[in-house]
């Protein structure tokens, strides 16, 4: 009974104060605007991907030979990016698939439109991480010392009021006062997503519900933090400044400091350095190929010494396609070596990068803001492993697509070579063999986006959920211990 009275009193004071309309107005504007923008961006990305895929398919149908069949694969947008953009806009959206080039995601949103990289997008995760955590601190920074300054704390404890019940009632009342102005905008956001036709499936709603639970844990921590600081100080002005400093450190400084420290500890080659290594190796192997090819042609020319012009022409016509096939096989073997070396370079870079990421995330997790952000990105599928998942899937597809194209070339008798004819009257002419009729692409392998099961989204987030629970309990225990020794006079 006593606890419910304290909860109602605290909740009533919040509802009648300027805090409630200010919180409701800011949350409503930001949440609804972020969802609206997220829906537009998702639909634009889906439409753009569909149009680009149709263009690639049209180019493939217009190809005149199997050697001319080119391909491009695309990263599919995820409906959850409406709420948590994560690294969605930082990572490239497509990659060319060819025998000569390795898989590389390009054309990210931020590279195509740098203005968005300057100001970034506001999503639900950002609002919870920054705005709601700040409101949580503002709601509770004077939960104890504010009552002391007004004299109500001494008056309350002039009666036989258990301190545990009083503190629990204050915390629950403040927590409800923060949840209520957020609930309505969240429900409206869900309704907008349903009405606009965003393809949210059952697993998406489960992931979204889990995200809501993590959000509650996150700003509960900051509500507890405000109570702890209020119980450690005598004046509300001091607790306000101290709470603001701690909030800035936890939300803005610690996550970035952890990543910066990891970048200094673990050295990772830049993309430019990696491209330089690959280009240098490719240039070296190409020079070796040209040198070997020159020697082979010298040997072939030596075999034609002493022949008449008619004999040379007949000899060339008899052997030139065999020579071209030999050169094409040598080129393909060289390309396989380049691919193997490229894979080694990329694997080394990926291992170093993963080590750096693991260290950076471990250091940044000293902040609950990082734990929340990582858990939200994991649930949305826009986490730090998004690029690796797609590049691995695209690399596997590249191997199957190249094998398919090479098989079709061999079946058609066209290995993709170029016929060079030298005539004293017409000069030098180049001919690319054409296939008879239209190419049958019905059995061509299709790229499939990497599939992730629901437990694979949720399980990695348990680490960060556990961290939020632990630090929340620690802060509550600290606030309770501080309040038991607090001088109410």
């Amino acid at each position: 009974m006593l606890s419910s009275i304290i909860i109602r009193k605290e909740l009533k004071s919040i509802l009648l104060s300027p805090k409630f309309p200010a919180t409701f107005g800011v949350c409503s504007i930001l949440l609804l605007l972020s969802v609206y923008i997220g829906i537009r961006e998702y639909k634009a990305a889906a439409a753009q991907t569909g149009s680009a895929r149709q263009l690639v398919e049209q180019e493939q149908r217009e190809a005149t030979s199997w050697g001319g069949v080119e391909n491009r694969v695309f990263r599919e947008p995820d409906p959850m990016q409406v709420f948590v953009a994560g690294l969605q806009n930082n990572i490239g959206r497509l990659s060319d698939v060819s025998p000569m080039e390795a898989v590389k995601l390009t054309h990210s949103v931020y590279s195509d439109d740098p203005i968005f990289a300057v100001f970034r997008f506001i999503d639900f995760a950002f609002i919870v991480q920054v705005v709601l955590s700040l409101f949580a601190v503002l709601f509770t920074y004077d939960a104890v010392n504010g009552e002391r300054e007004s004299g109500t704390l001494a008056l309350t404890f002039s009666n036989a009021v258990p301190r545990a019940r009083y503190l629990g009632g204050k915390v629950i009342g403040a927590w409800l006062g923060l949840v209520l102005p957020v609930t309505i905008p969240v429900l409206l956001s869900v309704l907008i997503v349903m009405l606009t036709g965003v393809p949210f499936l059952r697993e998406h709603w489960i992931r979204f519900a889990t995200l809501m639970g993590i959000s509650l844990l996150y700003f509960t921590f900051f509500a507890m933090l405000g109570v702890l600081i209020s119980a450690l100080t005598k004046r509300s002005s001091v607790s306000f400044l101290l709470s603001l400093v701690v909030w800035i450190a936890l939300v803005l400084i610690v996550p970035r400091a952890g990543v910066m420290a990891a970048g200094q500890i673990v050295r990772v080659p830049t993309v430019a350095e990696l491209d330089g290594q690959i280009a240098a190796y490719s240039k070296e192997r190409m020079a070796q190929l040209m040198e070997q090819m020159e020697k082979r042609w010298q040997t072939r020319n030596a075999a034609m010494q002493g022949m008449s012009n008619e004999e040379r022409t007949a000899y060339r016509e008899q052997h030139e396609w065999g020579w071209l096939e030999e050169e094409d096989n040598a080129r393909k073997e060289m390309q396989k070596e380049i691919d193997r070396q490229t894979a080694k370079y990329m694997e080394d870079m990926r291992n170093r990068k993963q080590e750096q990421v693991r260290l950076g995330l471990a250091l940044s997790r000293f902040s609950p803001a990082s734990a929340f952000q990582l858990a939200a990105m994991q649930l949305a599928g826009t986490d730090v492993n998004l690029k690796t998942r797609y590049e691995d899937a695209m690399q596997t597809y590249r191997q199957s697509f190249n094998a398919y194209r090479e098989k079709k070339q061999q079946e058609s008798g066209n290995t993709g070579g170029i016929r060079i004819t030298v005539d004293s009257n017409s000069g030098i002419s180049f001919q690319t063999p054409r296939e008879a009729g239209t190419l049958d692409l019905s059995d061509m392998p299709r790229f499939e986006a990497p599939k992730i099961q629901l437990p694979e989204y949720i399980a990695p987030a348990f680490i960060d959920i556990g961290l939020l629970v632990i630090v929340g309990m620690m802060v509550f225990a600290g606030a309770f211990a501080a309040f038991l020794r607090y001088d109410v006079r």
Side-chain angles (χ1 to χ4, degrees):
M1 183 65 180
L2 179 61
S3 298
S4 62
I5 294 175
I6 298 173
I7 293 173
R8 287 198 300 269
K9 174 183 175 298
E10 184 69 17
L11 184 58
K12 183 178 179 180
S13 66
I14 291 176
L15 294 177
L16 297 178
S17 71
K19 295 179 182 178
F20 184 82
T23 303
F24 178 77
V26 171
C27 290
S28 297
I29 293 173
L30 291 180
L31 283 173
L32 296 178
L33 182 62
S34 69
V35 170
Y36 171 74
I37 295 175
I39 292 173
R40 287 193 57 183
E41 291 299 319
Y42 168 78
K43 290 192 172 183
Q48 185 178 13
T49 300
S51 300
R53 187 180 291 111
Q54 291 178 0
L55 181 61
V56 172
E57 292 174 353
Q58 180 179 352
E59 293 175 351
Q60 291 173 345
R61 289 192 297 268
E62 294 174 353
T64 58
S65 65
W66 288 107
V69 175
E70 298 180 351
N71 204 350
R72 186 178 298 119
V73 291
F74 302 88
R75 181 170 58 83
E76 298 288 343
D78 192 309
M80 280 295 292
Q81 73 183 62
V82 171
F83 295 102
V84 185
L87 300 181
Q88 164 72 24
N89 299 314
N90 301 74
I91 298 173
R93 295 172 289 182
L94 59 93
S95 175
D96 291 326
V97 176
S98 69
M100 300 299 295
E101 297 181 5
V103 166
K104 184 177 182 181
L105 285 168
T106 59
H107 295 283
S108 68
V109 173
Y110 290 156
S111 65
D112 291 344
D113 297 301
I115 187 64
F116 293 124
V118 176
F119 296 104
R120 302 277 169 166
F121 292 100
I122 296 179
D123 58 5
F124 176 81
F126 173 84
I127 295 171
V128 173
Q129 183 183 24
V130 178
V131 180
L132 290 185
S133 63
L134 180 59
F135 279 142
V137 170
L138 295 178
F139 271 45
T140 57
Y141 77 91
D142 61 348
V144 177
N145 53 25
E147 297 284 354
R148 176 182 175 276
E149 290 176 336
S150 64
T152 57
L153 191 63
L155 181 62
T156 299
F157 283 100
S158 62
N159 302 303
V161 178
R163 293 201 175 197
R165 288 190 178 184
Y166 180 84
L167 184 64
K170 294 284 289 184
V171 169
I172 295 174
W175 187 85
L176 290 175
L178 181 61
V179 170
L180 288 177
V182 178
T183 302
I184 295 176
V186 169
L187 294 177
L188 289 176
S189 299
V190 171
L191 182 62
I192 292 174
V193 169
M194 296 173 65
L195 294 177
T196 52
V198 177
F200 258 61
L201 304 176
R202 176 176 173 272
E203 71 164 38
H204 294 114
W205 290 118
I206 294 176
R207 288 155 61 187
F208 177 75
T210 308
L211 176 63
M212 292 298 100
I214 297 174
S215 301
L216 291 175
L217 285 175
Y218 175 69
F219 65 70
T220 298
F221 163 81
F222 279 95
M224 294 293 99
L225 181 64
V227 174
L228 171 61
I229 295 175
S230 180
L232 292 174
T233 56
K234 297 296 183 181
R235 299 171 56 188
S236 59
S237 58
V238 175
S239 63
F240 173 77
L241 292 176
L242 185 58
S243 298
L244 192 59
V245 170
V246 174
W247 177 86
I248 291 174
L250 292 178
V251 175
L252 302 178
I253 297 178
V254 174
R256 290 161 177 78
V259 174
M260 291 174 62
Q264 297 297 320
I265 296 173
V266 181
R267 177 75 174 88
V268 177
T270 63
V271 175
E273 291 174 341
L274 178 64
D275 290 343
Q277 290 177 329
I278 296 174
Y281 183 81
S282 300
K283 184 178 180 180
E284 179 185 354
R285 290 296 295 118
M286 181 62 72
Q288 294 176 2
L289 177 66
M290 296 302 293
E291 181 180 352
Q292 294 170 0
M293 184 173 65
E294 184 178 355
K295 291 180 179 179
R296 286 193 293 269
W297 280 106
Q298 289 176 355
T299 302
R300 293 162 186 161
N301 290 330
M304 292 186 290
Q305 292 295 328
M307 294 183 182
S308 63
N309 290 336
E310 291 79 5
E311 291 173 335
R312 285 172 178 269
T313 301
Y315 187 82
R316 285 197 189 97
E317 292 180 351
Q318 181 182 358
H319 294 89
E320 64 179 347
W321 284 114
W323 294 341
L324 289 175
E325 185 175 359
E326 182 181 356
E327 298 301 335
D328 187 63
N329 291 334
R331 180 192 61 78
K332 290 179 179 178
E333 185 60 32
M334 178 206 68
Q335 186 60 44
K336 290 180 181 178
E337 293 181 9
I338 293 176
D339 288 346
R340 285 193 290 267
Q341 189 62 33
T342 300
K344 290 181 181 179
Y345 286 141
M346 295 185 69
E347 184 66 21
D348 178 67
M349 180 181 180
R350 180 176 295 181
N351 291 337
R352 290 172 177 264
K353 191 67 177 177
Q354 288 178 347
E355 182 181 356
Q356 185 187 74
V357 168
R358 284 194 295 268
L359 179 60
L361 297 183
L363 295 176
S364 67
R365 279 191 171 100
F366 281 99
S367 165
S370 293
F372 168 77
Q373 179 69 22
L374 294 173
M377 290 167 57
Q378 185 66 48
L379 288 170
T382 57
D383 54 294
V384 294
N385 295 319
L386 175 62
K387 184 172 184 288
T388 301
R389 287 198 299 269
Y390 264 91
E391 286 189 342
D392 287 346
M394 289 176 177
Q395 183 62 35
T396 302
Y397 174 73
R398 175 176 177 265
Q399 296 173 358
S400 61
F401 174 77
N402 290 339
Y404 168 81
R405 193 173 75 161
E406 184 175 348
K407 176 184 176 183
K408 288 295 185 179
Q409 285 178 316
Q410 293 175 353
E411 290 177 352
S412 64
N414 173 15
T415 58
I418 299 176
R419 182 170 183 170
I420 305 174
T421 305
V422 181
D423 187 86
S424 58
N425 295 323
S426 59
I428 301 176
S429 62
F430 300 87
Q431 295 178 333
T432 303
R434 299 173 63 91
E435 304 292 345
T438 305
L439 300 180
D440 181 11
L441 302 173
S442 60
D443 59 342
M444 185 180 73
R446 307 292 177 180
F447 173 72
E448 294 185 1
K451 302 295 183 183
I452 303 179
Q453 301 300 321
L454 181 60
E456 296 179 85
Y457 284 109
I458 298 178
F462 282 151
I463 297 176
D464 298 296
I465 295 173
L467 287 174
L468 290 174
V469 171
I470 291 172
V471 296
M473 293 177 62
M474 291 175 60
V475 171
F476 177 76
F480 181 75
F483 187 64
L484 289 179
R485 299 191 300 269
Y486 194 79
D487 185 3
V488 299
R489 293 172 299 174

